Amino acid sequence: MKTRDFYYELDESLIAQTPLEKRDASRLLVYNRESHEVEHRVFSDITEYLRPGDVLVINDTKVIPARLEGERVRADSTVEVEATLIKRIGPERWQALAKPAKRLQEGDRIRFGHEGRVCLLGALDATVEEKGEGGEITLRFDFHGAILDEAIEALGHMPLPPYIAARRPDDDRDRT
């Protein structure tokens, strides 16, 4: 199977750019297996399609503002870096996807945020502990636990899909 098998054309006007204030007004596509008909409804209509014995799975996961912007700091040069945290692997360690990963080496220091303080203890710095083949890195932050969580919350951006991020910055609605 190839990823191109999942490519399709979609009119840009049909791509939601912001979350709806009333989430139950989101679009609901209903496919009838018996008649092979498609209906366009809203999510608040879902109870019309549930029967005894059906299971409805609710995904209530929360997305954190895991996209961090910073700067790799070496004695001879600096490079703008973006890291998207994907998995916590210890109190101060995260796996992340980095751009541009090719400009990073194990042992590099990254300072996230801009001039000034990003949390009560100062700047949010991390060391590149490991570097993978496909842009993934392991970061060891100078903070750990709740202090690190607070710094990420204060400094991070919501990781919007590229087709939305290319059109607008994240905002408070995305955090909600």
Side-chain angles (χ1 to χ4, degrees), residues 19-173:
L20 290 177
E21 193 156 322
K22 292 188 66 175
R23 297 297 173 97
D24 63 350
S26 298
R27 293 178 179 174
L28 176 66
L29 179 73
V30 179
Y31 175 72
N32 185 316
R33 290 183 183 183
E34 295 164 6
S35 68
H36 303 288
E37 291 178 355
V38 173
E39 289 183 69
H40 296 276
R41 304 290 297 266
V42 292
F43 190 78
S44 60
D45 297 336
I46 196 161
T47 56
E48 295 177 28
Y49 299 95
L50 298 176
R51 296 182 303 248
D54 284 351
V55 175
L56 180 63
V57 178
I58 305 293
N59 178 354
D60 66 350
T61 57
K62 303 290 183 204
V63 177
I64 66 169
R67 188 172 54 83
L68 300 172
E69 297 170 344
E71 191 174 79
R72 182 209 66 201
V73 180
R74 286 190 196 152
D76 58 337
S77 66
T78 60
V79 172
E80 295 293 316
V81 175
E82 181 180 297
T84 301
L85 307 177
I86 54 175
K87 182 179 181 184
R88 187 177 219 142
I89 54 176
E92 75 288 338
R93 296 175 68 229
W94 277 86
Q95 286 180 337
L97 295 175
K99 288 193 289 190
K102 65 183 176 184
R103 304 289 302 269
L104 297 175
Q105 298 173 2
E106 290 180 9
D108 277 346
R109 296 284 291 164
I110 303 173
R111 169 152 293 160
F112 293 104
H114 301 287
E115 294 300 318
R117 298 165 66 100
V118 297
C119 65
L120 292 176
L121 298 178
L124 180 58
D125 293 349
T127 301
V128 177
E129 239 180 25
E130 296 176 35
K131 184 176 172 185
E133 298 284 322
E136 68 276 359
I137 59 173
T138 300
L139 292 172
R140 182 178 39 79
F141 288 92
D142 291 353
F143 302 141
H144 65 278
I147 294 170
L148 176 57
D149 295 344
E150 285 179 30
I152 291 169
E153 180 70 30
L155 189 59
H157 297 275
M158 296 306 287
L160 299 176
Y163 56 87
I164 294 176
R167 290 176 172 76
R168 68 172 183 84
D170 64 312
D171 60 28
D172 288 339
R173 293 175 297 180

